[in-house]
Amino acid sequence: MNVKPDLLTIQNICIQAILSHWPETDFIHEIYQCMPLSTIVFDETLSLICHAFSPSFHFNDWEEIVKHGAAPQRQIIDNHLIYQEIIYANGGPTFIDWGTCEGQPQTCCPITHKHTLYGYIGIAFEKSSYIQEVMNAQRIIADTLGVLLSRKNPMQSGSLNFDPALLLLSDSLDTKFAEIYLHKHNAPYAMSILHFPKPHPAEILYTLGNIRKSNPFVTSCISPDEENYIYLLFSDLSDPDITEKNFTMLFRMALQQNFAYSISDRFPDIYTLPSHRLQAFCALEVGRKLNPEQIFFDFRQSYPSVRDYYFTEQYGYTASIPAAIRLLMNYDAEHSLNYCETLYRYYENFMTVSETAKILNIHPNTVRLRLNKINELLNLDVEKYETAHQLYSGLQLIYTQQKLLSGTKGENL
């Protein structure tokens, strides 16, 4: 039997499904009655939503999904990344003569609604030579599934009633958007930015889908200009358990999917969101320059490095270093000493001589002698609070600059 889709009947089924709020399984089974071609629907995390196909149809790797609800995650991503990229690049029904079903040509289409991807639908041509007609039918079916799935997962996209990018990426927050968000999400908030070194849209959407599934209240978008960035806004972080769950999930996903990410300070006022987005961006960009192998950057912990990096960018390296530190650096260079590092480690270890000696692998008395010599050389009391604060800031700046120039971690001062 050479199946030719009856578009008029399919359109009527789609209209009825939307008006009557059919479950997606009932909808696909009804479509199968008038177009008996093997059909399978997955969400954006590649978990099975529903299917309708004859027993004789074989899915190979996908059989495991049908049986258990999900194939091994890495297997699906590795095996079908190129296949997914083709679908997302086309943005509509795409003819595939290889991929998930060996020897079974098929057409696949993303399922989207209001700027959100909900998954995709695959239809096999095992009983049809009407390729273009099947693809036309698939587009209508995919649009209908987008509506049905958005109703099933209202927090995933439609709760704000506007594109989340208008909230997350604006330099000045629109009052109307802020009020809509405040009506649905409680303080405190935190902004997070994810960066994928090798952007693959399918993998990014897969990651975003898993994050939304773990926390349906997260507001998210992909940067339209630089597609390897995901922006996330977490809410209601007053509960330590919820906060821990959110950030543990993010860390595990970063290990799994090989992306780096940052988190801003928590903040109570949604109108300050643009500045906290900048916090997350600065922590990520500076952190990746200083520690390219690290995957997580917290703004509060990264603040000294962020401050030193941008201060130097603004005023220059020489102007940023206190005169006393320049004097100490020159003395070290002329006499092949390491007084700068001694003083830096002393401040880092809360001005504790014994701990400084352990770090430098020298005797505590040697540390004391060096500190006395530094006091004499600089004509300063390095233990006085105001002096210590200025000197430590200058030494931190040098340390940051050395790491940026050397591209290594733990470089000596």
Side-chain angles (χ1 to χ4, degrees), residues 20 25 39 49 76 80 83 101 113 118 136 144-145 165 179 245 252 271 311 319 343-344 379 381 390:
S20 302
T25 300
T39 302
I49 295 176
I76 292 295
H80 308 303
Y83 158 78
C101 313
H113 185 67
Y118 284 91
N136 291 339
T144 304
L145 282 167
E179 289 177 353
K245 178 184 176 183
R252 288 175 178 170
Y271 290 97
F311 190 80
L343 189 59
Y344 179 70
N379 194 27
D381 181 359
Q390 183 183 27

Side-chain angles (χ1 to χ4, degrees), residues 44 74 77-78 81 84-85 88 196 198-209 230 253 256-258:
E44 75 280 24
R74 196 67 252 170
I77 291 296
D78 290 342
L81 185 59
Q84 293 174 60
E85 295 304 323
Y88 294 124
F196 292 76
K198 297 179 180 179
H200 296 291
E203 192 159 8
I204 290 174
L205 290 167
Y206 172 87
T207 300
L208 185 54
I230 290 178
M253 287 294 297
Q256 187 181 82
Q257 299 304 117
N258 189 34

Side-chain angles (χ1 to χ4, degrees), residues 207 210-211 249-259:
T207 300
N210 273 287
I211 291 171
M249 171 273 300
L250 206 52
F251 186 75
R252 288 175 178 170
M253 287 294 297
L255 289 174
Q256 187 181 82
Q257 299 304 117
N258 189 34
F259 62 79

Side-chain angles (χ1 to χ4, degrees), residues 195-313:
H195 175 262
F196 292 76
K198 297 179 180 179
H200 296 291
E203 192 159 8
I204 290 174
L205 290 167
Y206 172 87
T207 300
L208 185 54
N210 273 287
I211 291 171
R212 287 169 169 165
K213 185 170 288 187
S214 175
N215 181 0
F217 294 95
V218 69
T219 302
S220 58
C221 72
I222 299 172
S223 173
D225 301 321
E226 300 172 286
E227 293 183 348
N228 51 338
Y229 286 90
I230 290 178
Y231 291 80
L232 304 173
L233 178 58
F234 293 97
S235 62
D236 199 16
L237 297 178
S238 56
D239 187 328
D241 291 336
I242 293 177
T243 303
E244 180 68 20
K245 178 184 176 183
N246 282 325
F247 295 158
T248 299
M249 171 273 300
L250 206 52
F251 186 75
R252 288 175 178 170
M253 287 294 297
L255 289 174
Q256 187 181 82
Q257 299 304 117
N258 189 34
F259 62 79
Y261 71 101
S262 62
I263 293 180
S264 73
D265 272 343
R266 296 176 203 177
F267 55 99
D269 183 1
I270 194 62
Y271 290 97
T272 63
L273 187 151
S275 63
H276 292 281
R277 184 185 71 241
L278 184 59
Q279 284 183 347
F281 180 81
C282 290
L284 180 64
E285 292 301 293
V286 175
R288 287 170 55 233
K289 287 183 172 69
L290 294 175
N291 301 291
E293 296 179 0
Q294 190 170 323
I295 64 172
F296 168 56
F297 305 98
D298 179 89
F299 176 75
R300 185 169 296 181
Q301 297 173 358
S302 304
Y303 175 73
S305 297
V306 172
R307 175 201 63 200
D308 294 343
Y309 176 80
Y310 287 107
F311 190 80
T312 305
E313 287 279 303

Side-chain angles (χ1 to χ4, degrees), residues 370-386:
R370 290 181 182 180
L371 292 174
N372 290 335
K373 182 63 178 179
I374 292 170
N375 278 331
E376 180 184 331
L377 181 66
L378 301 181
N379 194 27
L380 295 169
D381 181 359
V382 298
E383 295 188 1
K384 187 177 179 181
Y385 175 78
E386 292 82 0

